[in-house]
């Protein structure tokens, strides 16, 4: 019988995967034992938020707290994490403008308000099938994001503006758990040309596709019973 695939080699600086490791822009690596919720105070006495280049979030961490990495701005480029993390709280990674790599925990269930908003350099985002709730403005102004799949597990998209001003977003697939397209969900997504909706969708709210100038066609399922006025305002290319 063929030999099983070997386990991937861990990053050389990770001595204990339960601990978290912060890499400074000068290359220094700091090992910190953070348990439960990771917040800015979990590490700020050791390394400044604006000096973090990359971080590995260890398995002792269960959630990324509100504002934990907010406005890390120009230096934070890469985040990986253990599968123990179940929640991204409000503004967890807000305005991490140079973040280009984000590996999300396979156990994540909740993405909070503005959790990834204005992560302008992140081109790809894989949402695991464990996620059930995505809160308001979670992905607003992710200007480099090109496509995204909302898995079937997501049953709650809280209020609107989820993808507002995602100016490079071209294709979106919505899973079967999505039953409503909230107000301003795709507002200002002027590169958006393809949205795949399941038959589960029943309501499209006002301004949901506001100013989606590149949207040429959209298939609306047979179970849609309510389309609010101005749902497609400014979709100047929409033909069908």
């Amino acid at each position: 019988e063929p030999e099983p695939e070997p386990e991937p080699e861990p990053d050389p600086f990770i001595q204990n995967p339960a601990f978290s490791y912060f890499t400074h822009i000068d290359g220094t690596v700091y090992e910190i034992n953070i348990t439960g919720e990771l917040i800015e105070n979990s590490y700020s006495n050791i390394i400044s938020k604006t000096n973090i280049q990359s971080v590995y979030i260890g398995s002792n961490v269960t959630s990324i707290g509100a504002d934990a990495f907010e406005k890390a701005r120009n230096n934070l480029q890469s985040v990986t994490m253990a599968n123990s993390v179940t929640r991204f709280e409000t503004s967890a990674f807000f305005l991490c403008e140079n973040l280009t790599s984000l590996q999300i925990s396979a156990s994540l269930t909740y993405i909070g308000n503005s959790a990834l908003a204005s992560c302008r350099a992140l081109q790809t985002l894989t949402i695991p099938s464990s996620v059930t709730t995505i809160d308001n403005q979670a992905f607003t102004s992710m200007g480099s994001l090109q496509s995204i799949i909302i898995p079937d597990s997501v049953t709650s998209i809280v209020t609107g503006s989820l993808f507002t001003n995602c100016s490079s977003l071209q294709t979106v697939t919505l899973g079967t758990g999505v039953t409503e397209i909230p107000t301003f969900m795709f507002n200002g997504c002027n590169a958006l040309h393809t949205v795949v909706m399941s038959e589960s969708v029943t309501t499209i709210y006002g301004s949901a596709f506001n100013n989606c100038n590149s949207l040429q066609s959209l298939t609306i399922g047979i179970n849609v019973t309510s389309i609010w006025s101005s749902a497609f305002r400014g979709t100047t290319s929409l033909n069908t």
Side-chain angles (χ1 to χ4, degrees), residues 15-36:
Q15 301 299 315
N16 184 342
F19 290 1
S20 296
Y21 292 82
F22 293 72
T23 303
H24 192 281
I25 54 176
D26 67 6
T28 305
V29 178
Y30 296 94
E31 178 188 83
I32 309 173
N33 183 17
I34 303 171
T35 61

Side-chain angles (χ1 to χ4, degrees), residues 55-134:
V55 61
Y56 164 78
I57 299 167
S59 60
N60 283 343
V61 175
T62 57
S63 66
I64 312 301
D67 309 325
F69 296 99
E70 179 191 15
K71 300 179 182 177
R73 291 198 181 273
N74 295 333
N75 290 317
L76 183 60
Q77 298 175 15
S78 174
V79 175
T80 58
M81 65 191 69
N83 288 332
S84 56
V85 176
T86 61
R87 294 175 66 90
F88 290 171
E89 301 295 352
T90 298
S91 299
F93 296 99
F94 175 64
L95 261 176
C96 292
E97 294 182 305
N98 272 3
L99 184 65
T100 56
S101 177
L102 175 64
Q103 173 265 312
I104 296 178
S105 161
S107 302
L108 194 73
T109 61
Y110 174 75
I111 301 176
N113 189 330
S114 302
L116 295 169
S118 297
C119 289
R120 305 185 199 281
L122 200 60
Q123 295 184 18
T124 60
L125 181 65
T126 302
I127 301 175
S129 58
S130 53
V131 173
T132 59
T133 302
I134 303 176

Side-chain angles (χ1 to χ4, degrees), residues 126-186:
T126 302
I127 301 175
S129 58
S130 53
V131 173
T132 59
T133 302
I134 303 176
D135 215 326
N136 185 38
Q137 298 182 328
F139 308 131
T140 292
S141 298
M142 293 183 67
S144 297
L145 186 66
Q146 297 180 16
S147 66
I148 194 165
I149 297 172
I150 304 296
D152 293 344
S153 59
V154 174
T155 55
S156 177
I157 296 177
V158 181
T159 67
S161 303
L162 183 60
F163 296 107
T164 287
N165 295 330
C166 289
S167 55
S168 299
L169 187 63
Q170 298 178 39
T171 63
V172 175
T173 300
L174 302 176
T176 57
V178 176
T179 60
E180 299 177 340
I181 311 299
T183 300
F184 291 119
M185 182 168 180
F186 298 106

